[in-house]
Amino acid sequence: MTNIFLREPKLYTNLTAVRRVSVVGTDAAVVLDQNIVRPEGGGQPRDHGSVTVGDQVFPIGQVVKSEGETWLRLSGAGSAPPEEGELVSVSVDRERRATLSKSHSLTHLMMAAGKKCLEDFDSKGAAIDEAGQIMTISFRTSSVVDDIAINMIDAVVRHLVAKDAPVTFTTVKSLEEGAKRFPRWRVDSTLGLSGKIRVVDIAGIDANPCSGSHVETTGEVGPYRMFHDLVLDGDIYRFSAERTRTWMYWFGEEALIGFDWDGLHTRPNRPEGTPPHVR
């Protein structure tokens, strides 16, 4: 089995052969030769979609990783499961994939802005809700994290969205190679990664080991609003953002006076007050 969604994130339909089949009650679970359906992982919910077997279309009820394989559970296919070697057509919900890609890229921008704005920033993962609308990041820092700090991060994220920077994928042989290769390398030290690693590189902004789906440029992330409901769990901070239909507020250019993203040690001003519609 090859998970081709890693290198073809915008491939939404694919004709492929069935490699393994298992009947589970009224359902059938299959492993495909080439898989375009992403399972849950890295804080990103799974893809939705369907598999067409002959003239029957079965919704994908679950996507499960087990013993190095990705199993697709086809709802209602237990009475007429596909055979090993049979060609089937797989379709991924394009709109959901696009939404999750925008949301996942936004979490990377939030982390990048946090690292830029806060001292000793240490990312501790991110999570996207099932609908792909609310993103939460977790991190440690020695800085004071208050409304002003969140405003500062928010202003920088908006700057990075407007920057419309390219988002690309590459592979490194190790964490050590990634740290040497990318000036803005960021990794959660608790993940225990080893061997070859897929890196999502937001040009000049952030480089992070990640198997998620992403946009092609940061401008595709689109509008959002950031919440100020900060949670402190031990020494781990968490706060969230929500995707919106339109931009609901702006800090003004003065929020970025003196801010140079390309300067590794410069930080933006701390904009006072909370913008409207945030709380």
Side-chain angles (χ1 to χ4, degrees):
M1 176 207 63
T2 302
N3 283 322
I4 60 176
F5 63 79
L6 291 173
R7 66 172 186 265
E8 299 286 351
K10 292 198 172 182
L11 182 62
Y12 303 109
T13 60
N14 191 46
L15 186 66
T16 187
V18 175
R19 279 188 47 205
R20 297 176 64 182
V21 181
S22 176
V23 175
V24 186
T26 60
D27 301 338
V30 298
V31 174
L32 304 177
D33 185 44
Q34 293 185 321
N35 176 44
I36 62 171
V37 185
R38 187 186 185 280
E40 179 180 358
Q44 179 175 326
R46 71 172 179 88
D47 284 336
H48 289 177
S50 63
V51 174
T52 301
V53 183
D55 59 357
Q56 292 186 288
V57 180
F58 300 104
I60 299 171
Q62 292 180 335
V63 185
V64 179
K65 295 172 67 175
S66 177
E67 298 179 351
E69 303 274 33
T70 300
W71 289 84
L72 310 184
R73 185 159 176 165
L74 311 184
S75 300
S79 60
E83 298 180 357
E84 292 185 3
E86 184 174 357
L87 288 178
V88 297
S89 178
V90 185
S91 297
V92 169
D93 185 327
R94 180 188 301 251
E95 183 175 347
R96 177 176 171 82
R97 170 74 69 80
T99 296
L100 293 174
S101 297
K102 293 175 183 179
S103 298
H104 202 142
S105 293
L106 178 55
T107 66
H108 283 225
L109 296 182
M110 291 167 68
M111 289 289 198
K115 186 175 181 179
K116 183 69 175 178
C117 297
L118 303 174
E119 298 284 355
D120 305 316
F121 183 88
D122 183 14
S123 61
K124 292 298 176 186
I128 304 168
D129 77 333
E130 175 60 26
Q133 297 300 314
I134 297 177
M135 295 66 64
T136 302
I137 65 168
S138 303
F139 58 92
R140 287 193 179 105
T141 179
S142 60
S143 295
V144 173
V145 184
D146 54 13
D147 278 350
I148 295 175
I150 295 176
N151 284 352
M152 184 165 58
I153 292 170
D154 196 355
V156 172
V157 171
R158 287 161 187 273
H159 166 74
L160 298 178
V161 172
K163 192 178 179 72
D164 201 27
V167 181
T168 57
F169 309 96
T170 190
T171 301
V172 295
K173 295 179 180 179
S174 64
L175 289 174
E176 291 74 20
E177 181 186 343
K180 291 178 181 178
R181 181 171 174 180
F182 299 100
R184 291 188 171 84
W185 179 248
R186 177 180 59 81
V187 63
D188 183 345
S189 58
T190 64
L191 292 179
L193 299 174
S194 61
K196 288 186 178 181
I197 298 167
R198 177 181 184 257
V199 177
V200 175
D201 179 23
I202 305 178
I205 295 171
D206 184 67
N208 176 244
C210 180
S211 63
S213 59
H214 287 268
V215 296
E216 292 183 343
T217 69
T218 59
E220 295 178 36
V221 167
Y224 70 90
R225 65 170 179 160
M226 202 164 284
F227 296 114
H228 282 235
D229 298 326
L230 185 69
V231 174
L232 181 59
D233 182 6
D235 61 348
I236 304 292
Y237 288 96
R238 294 188 180 91
F239 69 86
S240 304
E242 178 184 39
R243 296 188 50 75
T244 56
R245 295 176 64 88
T246 60
W247 292 105
M248 301 176 68
Y249 56 89
W250 183 247
F251 290 98
E253 293 302 319
E254 64 274 8
L256 293 172
I257 290 175
F259 173 62
D260 174 16
W261 180 261
D262 295 322
L264 286 173
H265 303 294
T266 61
R267 288 187 167 80
N269 294 340
R270 288 167 58 88
E272 298 290 341
T274 301
H277 312 301
V278 174
R279 288 191 181 278

